[in-house]
Amino acid sequence: MDLSGFNIAVIVVVALVILTIARGVRTVPQGFNYTVERFGRYSRTLSAGLGLIVPYIDRIGHKVNVMEQVLDIPSQEAITKDNAGVRIDAAAFYQVLDAAKACYEVSSLNDALMVLTMTNIRTVVGSMDLDQLLSHRDEINERLLRVMDAAASPWGVKVTRIEIRDILPPADIAGAMNRQMKAEREKRAAILEAEGLRQAEILKAEGQKQSQILAAEGRKESALRDAEARERLAQAEAAATAMVSEAIGKGDIQAANFLIAERYTDALKAIATGPNSKVVIVPIEAASLAGTVGGIAQLTKAVFGEDAVAARRNSGSVPPAGRANS
């Protein structure tokens, strides 16, 4: 197909218009900012979304990531305040708040942040002893964050966190620390064991003391009850003797016989139950005791009542009716 000069001109103009529109429209993805330069000088910043620039005059200078980023700090040697060499590994988290400053205030942001972090780590480590360094990581992180955030602020960067990932002391120092920790733990174990034995002995002594107190209380209560029983028995014996004496005073011969028979029976009982007694010889006069003993129950009932008879039977002083010892 033959093209005339007019058609060629139209095609060129259309192509130029399309190219111009394409150069003037920019799509900025989420999480990024684009800096716009006009004749090589910073003009403005395009945020996420659709952005327009002047074709052939403006151009995109830098594409800046404004999301939070992590910067891996390489492991490095540092000397503590007490001249102990340690190897420290860390990581820094930062976010670009001002894309223009991050691009035009520092030539290489990542390298600058890395060098700044490593330098401040050495400074902080050099101001602390080894024991303090190993046990105060939070303090180290806080001090580094404060210094780094202040230093990176002119670059439009916010340092959000700095984390010390590992602190490795020399092998000989690590061995000494392990031995010290083992000795400390063994000391604690010995103290706890001794404390446990002490508590056990105290509890055992308290238990023995309480047992002795309870036993003494029991003996005291038993002695009081025995004394009370003896007192009541003595009162009963005194009352019985008084009643018998009163009956004898009135001329009641059965009362006298009752008293004699009771004493005679008690004497025989004492002889029969002696520990060395094997053969008991009863005097012939004991035969006449049967009639007397037979009437003891009737006499006791007449003098003391039914309760007295039952009490004396239980104690063995008066045998049941119809029985007599021979």
Side-chain angles (χ1 to χ4, degrees):
M1 182 176 67
D2 296 333
L3 297 176
S4 63
F6 177 76
N7 291 333
I8 294 174
V10 170
I11 292 173
V12 171
V13 170
V14 171
L16 184 60
V17 170
I18 293 174
L19 180 61
T20 301
I21 294 174
R23 289 179 62 88
V25 177
R26 290 290 185 269
T27 301
V28 182
Q30 184 67 39
F32 282 84
N33 282 349
Y34 289 178
T35 61
V36 179
E37 297 178 355
R38 177 169 296 177
F39 301 117
R41 183 178 179 181
Y42 169 75
S43 175
R44 55 196 175 92
T45 302
L46 296 180
S47 58
L50 184 63
L52 300 177
I53 63 175
V54 179
Y56 310 110
I57 298 177
D58 296 340
R59 69 181 183 91
I60 301 299
H62 297 85
K63 298 178 180 179
V64 183
N65 187 347
V66 294
M67 295 181 289
E68 186 172 6
Q69 303 175 67
V70 58
L71 182 63
D72 187 15
I73 308 300
S75 179
Q76 61 173 324
E77 293 284 346
I79 305 298
T80 62
K81 186 178 180 180
D82 51 355
N83 296 323
V86 294
R87 180 170 290 274
I88 295 183
D89 190 9
F93 297 82
Y94 69 95
Q95 184 178 13
V96 176
L97 302 181
D98 191 332
K101 290 183 179 181
C103 295
Y104 303 108
E105 295 294 335
V106 59
S107 60
S108 178
L109 180 61
N110 286 347
D111 292 342
L113 289 175
M114 184 177 298
V115 172
L116 184 62
T117 304
M118 295 175 66
T119 303
N120 282 280
I121 286 177
R122 292 194 186 97
T123 302
V124 172
V125 171
S127 64
M128 302 176 70
D129 295 333
L130 179 60
D131 292 339
Q132 186 180 6
L133 183 68
L134 295 175
S135 59
H136 294 78
R137 291 197 181 189
D138 292 340
E139 181 181 348
I140 299 173
N141 294 335
E142 182 181 355
R143 291 175 61 178
L144 286 174
L145 178 61
R146 185 169 58 251
V147 174
M148 287 290 297
D149 190 38
S153 180
W155 302 337
V157 175
K158 173 68 175 178
V159 179
T160 57
R161 293 191 305 275
I162 293 183
E163 298 292 338
I164 298 297
R165 292 187 295 191
D166 202 3
I167 300 177
L168 299 177
D172 54 345
I173 296 180
M177 293 174 63
N178 289 333
R179 291 192 298 271
Q180 180 183 1
M181 180 181 65
K182 182 179 178 181
E184 185 67 24
R185 291 185 181 276
E186 290 177 351
K187 174 184 175 183
R188 291 185 195 173
I191 291 175
L192 291 176
E193 184 178 0
E195 186 66 23
L197 292 176
R198 175 175 172 271
Q199 291 294 334
E201 292 296 331
I202 291 176
L203 292 177
K204 183 178 178 180
E206 288 289 340
Q208 292 177 352
K209 174 183 176 182
Q210 191 67 22
S211 175
Q212 293 175 359
I213 291 175
L214 293 177
E217 290 289 340
R219 291 193 299 271
K220 176 182 177 182
E221 184 68 20
S222 176
L224 290 176
R225 292 183 180 272
D226 290 343
E228 183 179 357
R230 288 194 298 271
E231 181 181 359
R232 291 184 179 180
L233 180 62
Q235 292 176 355
E237 290 291 340
T241 303
M243 294 178 67
V244 171
S245 299
E246 184 180 355
I248 292 174
K250 294 180 179 181
D252 191 348
I253 192 62
Q254 290 184 348
N257 292 335
F258 168 75
L259 184 60
I260 295 172
E262 183 180 22
R263 296 291 184 269
Y264 196 82
T265 302
D266 291 341
L268 289 178
K269 182 178 179 181
I271 295 173
T273 58
N276 298 322
S277 299
K278 300 300 181 180
V279 178
V280 179
I281 299 175
V282 181
I284 193 169
E285 288 80 2
S288 63
L289 182 64
T292 304
V293 172
I296 289 176
Q298 297 298 327
L299 177 61
T300 304
K301 183 187 298 184
V303 177
F304 303 111
E306 291 289 345
D307 295 338
V309 174
R312 288 184 171 273
R313 282 180 180 176
N314 292 332
S315 64
S317 298
V318 178
R323 296 180 55 190
N325 296 328
S326 63

